[in-house]
Amino acid sequence: MQPPSSSPSPTSHSNATSQNRNHLHALHIPEITSIIVSSLTQLDVIHCRGVSLEWRRLFSPFLKLHGIYRNHNPVLKALFEKQLQSLGPFVYSLKQVVPIPQDLEAIQQTCPRLGHVGLFVQRKQSMHLKALVKFLESMHVLESIALYSFDDSVAATLLQGLATYQQQLSASAKTTSPSPSSPHALRKLDIGNAAHSLKFARIQWEQVMLVLLKHPEMNSLTLRDAHLCWYQDHEDPSAEDWSRNVLVRTVFGAETQRQWNGLLDKLGSWRLGGSRTNLPPELSSLRKGGCGLGISTTASDDTTNPVQFGKMTHVVLDGMRISEDLLCYILNHCPALKTLELSLTGSTISPQFWARWLPNCPQLESVKVKSSSGSVNIDIPSFWSLAPTTLATFQFASDSRQLTFPELSLSPSFAELAVLSKDRCHGSTLVTLELNIGLRIADPGLPYIMTHCRSLESLIVGIQYFADWELVNDGLGGGGDGNPVSPTTAIQPRSFPSWSCGGTLKSLELRVFYLPQDLQFDERIHMFMRRLDDLRVLEKLSLPLKLLSDLSESQHEDYSGFNLGVLEHLEQQALLHEQFLTQATVSVPTQDLSLGGQNQLQQQAGAYRNVLPQMPSVQEVILSSSGSFRLQIRMRHLHILMEALSGLTIVWVAPGLCGLDPLPWFKQLHDRFQAQYGSRSVALNLGSPAWCE
């Protein structure tokens, strides 16, 4: 009898192959592959592609590469273009593309899956319309376009190409052009201009509007550093429009220029009350809403316009100059708007502006407003009462003192305010709130936030706890008997209400605003800080060291003993410790005196309170540097934190708090901190959490 052969039989080999194929079949199911890839990084996808030819075929569709195309060095540019020959099919995003015909043609041939392109046009460069239209026709999956230029004619050329290329596709290549409802239709447009350019760029709203009408799937519009205006609203009426320039007509071509000029002529005649019969369908419907010369001044009138940018959810106007009427018109025609970011230059928005469009945006979730030199006026309580219940994020920053929380005439109590807020929004749905506006500690703004914003999870607020001497002398802080002495202080609280978000707020950042004139420390900051013990689930606390230092050095009767006792003793103890290192002969007396004095001062400090309340839930503290104040962190500041925050695990110290040469100072502070609190396992780091992200 022959021994059994060790070689596998054909049957066993076929079974193994079948099992291997069955194993691979699981990855052939798109749902399973998508779930797997969702937890992988792009580097992991690259590694998966290198396992086998089968895996290369399965994971290649999920590979998305991002690159910077244009380089000033011709050698680096040539190397990058060589890499595109092999990696081009996997490139999803390209930035800094100078739109010259050669570069655009190279992208067409090598990057068929390009979803985002960032165009960059330097000074004295132009946009070639023919090459741009050809590029747009060939990129069937392009979803996002960004442009940064130094000339407003470049932005106008891009808008012209976006408004016309889909028409040309429908006439010449209907079989290959994506439909308006295609999943790869254009969705995002970002146009930025050089803010330091000598000429302030101008963008005509009609051009933008035509692009939105040609691409109904557009959901994000970003315009930066330009003047957005109507076609007829030129600063210089005698100046000829760029599109009618002979040189531009020669470069772009007569036929394309004729089509675009025809659209502009129809827009002009329509705005001047011309006939509707010669207008294209999209412009005829627009004329019904009166968005030309007769812009409606009320939100309700604008809603009669049948034209809506129904997919527009994200609008950013950064550093823009725009009239209030035009801005109101744009927002009123975005019923699906969810996010608005607004920063104006050279324009002023009145408090009545918000009521003209807020009721027509029922899905609004986030509003971010930046006011430069008081350009944006807003009554925050009124805004919150008009906003929909979907509003979860509100950010407002201003570099000037504004009346954002006007005083109420009847001065209701905190309990009455809570009752009034039950039937209206008043900020009760906000989850994230940032008010970087310098609220005075005596203003009604802080009590209003504490009372109404009951769902907050993250709060950033800028406060001003120094008052002018004149205001103090006039009785803003109340008379000597504790009663207000002027009518203006009738609604100013002598204490602060409880935090209504005590069970939800997890992150609190306090910022401090200072004025250049002589100021008087307002003792009410102690009352406000004492209310922090209402925040039962607070995990992250950020505050400037200047605030912590001012609180500890104030002459408040409840805290001055703490300052003169334990805090100053820590500095004395450190000084004695340094002497002990240099003079060994005094080691025993110094140590005995230190221990005895420490016990005595700890008993003395028991009769006083810390400047911070007990907050055991706080795990992370960030000490920031405030403005130009030269203040160095010391052990007594850390002692305040360690005594109040029993659950503390990490402390971040801004480099500006450790002098001009922060590393030696921080090392010395870190060694002293570990010697005293090393048993509590609290990490002391230099920098901020953002550095580690």
Side-chain angles (χ1 to χ4, degrees), residues 499 502 528-536 613-616:
W499 287 85
F528 173 74
M529 298 299 293
R530 184 57 49 188
R531 274 300 183 186
L532 295 184
D533 58 3
D534 295 333
L535 307 177
R536 302 180 298 276
Q614 293 294 323
M615 294 181 287

Side-chain angles (χ1 to χ4, degrees), residues 382-654:
S382 176
F383 179 95
W384 289 349
S385 64
L386 294 170
T389 56
T390 56
L391 186 67
T393 300
F394 182 81
Q395 299 180 7
F396 182 64
S398 176
D399 57 2
S400 62
R401 181 64 182 162
Q402 293 177 296
L403 191 63
T404 54
F405 287 89
E407 299 179 355
L408 303 178
S409 58
L410 300 179
S411 65
S413 63
F414 297 127
E416 293 172 342
L417 287 174
V419 173
L420 291 175
S421 64
K422 290 182 179 180
D423 299 330
R424 304 179 68 181
C425 179
H426 286 294
S428 61
T429 62
L430 292 176
V431 177
T432 301
L433 175 61
E434 178 178 347
L435 294 178
N436 203 22
I437 56 179
L439 288 174
R440 287 195 303 121
I441 200 68
D443 286 349
L446 284 175
Y448 194 95
I449 295 172
M450 298 167 67
T451 304
H452 290 77
C453 303
R454 60 175 65 95
S455 303
L456 286 180
E457 296 182 5
S458 176
L459 173 62
I460 301 177
V461 59
I463 59 176
Q464 175 187 328
Y465 59 88
F466 281 81
D468 300 346
W469 282 101
E470 296 180 358
L471 297 178
V472 174
N473 296 333
D474 289 342
L476 182 61
D481 56 353
N483 296 322
V485 296
S486 66
T488 59
T489 61
I491 66 170
Q492 304 297 339
R494 296 301 299 169
S495 61
F496 289 88
S498 300
W499 287 85
S500 59
C501 58
T504 60
L505 190 63
K506 297 181 180 180
S507 176
L508 173 63
E509 179 178 350
L510 298 178
R511 299 176 181 177
V512 176
F513 283 70
Y514 299 95
L515 298 178
Q517 60 266 29
D518 292 336
L519 302 172
Q520 168 69 30
F521 184 85
D522 198 326
E523 296 287 348
R524 275 169 290 198
I525 185 63
H526 285 290
M527 304 177 188
F528 173 74
M529 298 299 293
R530 184 57 49 188
R531 274 300 183 186
L532 295 184
D533 58 3
D534 295 333
L535 307 177
R536 302 180 298 276
V537 297
L538 188 66
E539 299 175 356
K540 180 179 178 180
L541 177 62
S542 177
L543 69 164
L545 182 67
K546 176 66 175 175
L547 171 61
L548 198 62
S549 178
D550 289 339
L551 289 172
S552 63
E553 295 176 0
S554 66
Q555 300 301 316
H556 195 282
E557 58 181 5
D558 290 340
Y559 309 100
S560 58
F562 186 84
N563 173 47
L564 297 176
V566 177
L567 298 182
E568 290 186 353
H569 170 67
L570 288 174
E571 301 299 329
Q572 296 174 2
Q573 186 179 10
L575 179 61
L576 293 176
H577 180 67
E578 294 176 358
Q579 295 177 355
F580 167 73
L581 295 178
T582 56
Q583 301 177 7
T585 57
V586 296
S587 59
V588 176
T590 301
Q591 185 177 7
D592 295 340
L593 177 61
S594 176
L595 293 176
Q598 183 177 4
N599 295 332
Q600 180 180 1
L601 289 172
Q602 286 179 351
Q603 295 176 359
Q604 178 185 0
Y608 300 96
R609 295 186 296 177
N610 196 343
V611 295
L612 290 180
Q614 293 294 323
M615 294 181 287
S617 61
V618 176
Q619 302 175 8
E620 181 179 8
V621 170
I622 303 173
L623 295 177
S624 60
S625 178
S626 56
S628 60
F629 287 94
R630 282 294 181 187
L631 179 65
Q632 288 185 325
I633 185 172
R634 300 185 180 277
M635 271 299 298
R636 63 189 185 92
H637 302 131
L638 298 176
H639 180 75
I640 293 175
L641 301 177
M642 299 301 293
E643 290 294 320
L645 313 177
S646 59
L648 192 60
T649 60
I650 183 171
V651 179
W652 298 89
V653 179

